[in-house]
Amino acid sequence: MARCRLLGIPFLLLFGFRAVLGDAAAGDFEEDVAWEAQALARDLLACGVTDQDQCEQDFIEFCVQRNGGWTTYASVLCETARHDFWMARHQALYPSLLETLKSRSESEAEALMSRFSSWERYSELRCGRYGEMDGTMWRVVGANCRAQMAKLLAEDTETDALIAGMDSAVTIDWIRDGALDIDLDCDGASETLMPGSAETPQGSFALVGREGEHSQTETVLVFPVDPTLQDAVCRHPISLSRHPDADGQCDALRIDDMTCDGIVVFRETDGGEMILYRN
């Protein structure tokens, strides 16, 4: 399975997991956490505004199943991905928010830094105690605690940014690590294909290809999310890769949802019909 790195997000191995796993396994753990943090970002991006909490709960269910079921390892991994996702949301705004407040009032900036320091102390007191308890279940409880605290911090930071008159939209390029440069149109020029914000029917998602200097949209592929259909994916998010076994001269796209067999999509000629098959 292709794993996409989510770069630039600090990673915390909870309660000595690196020491427990060893360096090689800990490296895999970090990579999987980064991939799952990106998966959560995509899940929430595809989710309605009023359904965010439910989508986050659904993410935990799918994440745990993807990583071996309800084990301590999988549960800590998925909660750590939630933690990293929300910390990245906070860190995307905090530096610019602090500079904005400093330019207006030193006291406002000091108040923000004081709130952040208080959060750090309280988070450690509230969640760190679980690391001292016997039994692996407390590792999961502690990881969940840290994820919840990170979410509260991110939401407070975004609220502070709105109050300060800033655009609180998070500027992390969550999806770019999952993008793929591919000549799916078979016109001799690669385009960047990624999940996109095209209008789609309920229960579907879109892949948008952009090409050229001004990144104009060239390709939109819409797929249902339905495990009972052959021309659909079983769930979202998905990963993209170039398929090596296309029959024609054009690049072929492989779409994996980590649940069902992958879908391969390609054209045999420039301007030809799009062909789809499953493994």
Side-chain angles (χ1 to χ4, degrees):
M1 179 189 305
R3 294 286 183 173
C4 304
R5 297 288 303 194
L6 181 61
L7 301 178
I9 297 179
F11 173 78
L12 298 178
L13 278 170
L14 301 177
F15 310 129
F17 243 57
R18 182 185 295 278
V20 173
L21 297 172
D23 289 342
D28 292 340
F29 184 76
E30 291 188 32
E31 185 173 341
D32 286 347
V33 164
W35 193 94
E36 292 294 354
Q38 187 184 69
L40 174 57
R42 289 181 179 174
D43 279 358
L44 295 183
L45 186 66
C47 186
V49 175
T50 60
D51 299 324
Q52 295 283 300
D53 288 343
Q54 183 60 52
C55 289
E56 192 170 354
Q57 293 177 29
D58 292 343
F59 160 78
I60 290 293
E61 294 277 346
F62 285 117
C63 176
V64 166
Q65 295 303 324
R66 279 197 296 268
N67 290 281
W70 290 99
T71 63
T72 299
Y73 178 91
S75 298
V76 171
L77 187 157
C78 297
E79 291 292 354
T80 305
R82 286 182 62 224
H83 167 273
D84 284 9
F85 168 78
W86 289 111
M87 286 305 295
R89 292 275 294 250
H90 159 73
Q91 291 159 359
L93 284 173
Y94 184 80
S96 55
L97 172 61
L98 185 60
E99 289 304 313
T100 297
L101 295 182
K102 282 181 178 179
S103 68
R104 295 193 332 194
S105 166
E106 194 66 31
S107 62
E108 288 186 53
E110 289 175 356
L112 177 68
M113 290 187 288
S114 177
R115 288 197 297 275
F116 179 57
S117 296
S118 296
W119 173 87
E120 285 185 308
R121 290 193 299 272
Y122 179 55
S123 181
E124 187 54 41
L125 287 171
R126 182 170 184 260
C127 304
R129 56 184 169 163
Y130 298 114
E132 302 171 2
M133 297 182 181
D134 293 331
T136 56
M137 66 167 286
W138 295 113
R139 295 181 184 274
V140 179
V141 174
N144 174 265
C145 177
R146 290 181 185 270
Q148 294 293 350
M149 291 296 293
K151 182 176 182 178
L152 288 173
L153 176 65
E155 290 175 342
D156 283 349
T157 303
E158 290 170 6
T159 299
D160 286 340
L162 284 173
I163 294 172
M166 295 173 55
D167 179 3
S168 66
V170 176
T171 55
I172 303 171
D173 193 355
W174 291 103
I175 296 176
R176 186 61 185 90
D177 279 342
L180 180 69
D181 292 328
I182 187 171
D183 180 18
L184 193 61
D185 279 347
C186 202
D187 61 358
S190 292
E191 54 190 335
T192 300
L193 191 68
M194 66 181 71
S197 56
E199 292 186 12
T200 57
Q202 187 173 4
S204 302
F205 77 96
L207 291 176
V208 178
R210 294 186 170 89
E211 178 181 315
E213 181 181 355
H214 301 292
S215 296
Q216 63 269 25
T217 297
E218 295 287 340
T219 304
V220 177
L221 303 175
V222 178
F223 292 90
V225 181
D226 187 337
T228 67
L229 301 177
Q230 281 296 308
D231 60 348
V233 297
C234 290
R235 69 172 305 271
H236 190 268
I238 48 85
S239 64
L240 307 177
S241 60
R242 185 176 286 103
H243 189 69
D245 299 326
D247 294 332
Q249 299 294 318
C250 313
D251 287 344
L253 169 71
R254 181 183 172 91
I255 304 168
D256 287 292
D257 58 23
M258 298 157 289
T259 303
C260 298
D261 291 339
I263 296 175
V264 177
V265 182
F266 67 98
R267 298 182 193 272
E268 287 188 320
T269 60
D270 183 10
E273 292 185 2
M274 198 73 75
I275 298 171
L276 180 150
Y277 73 89
R278 301 194 89 112
N279 283 359

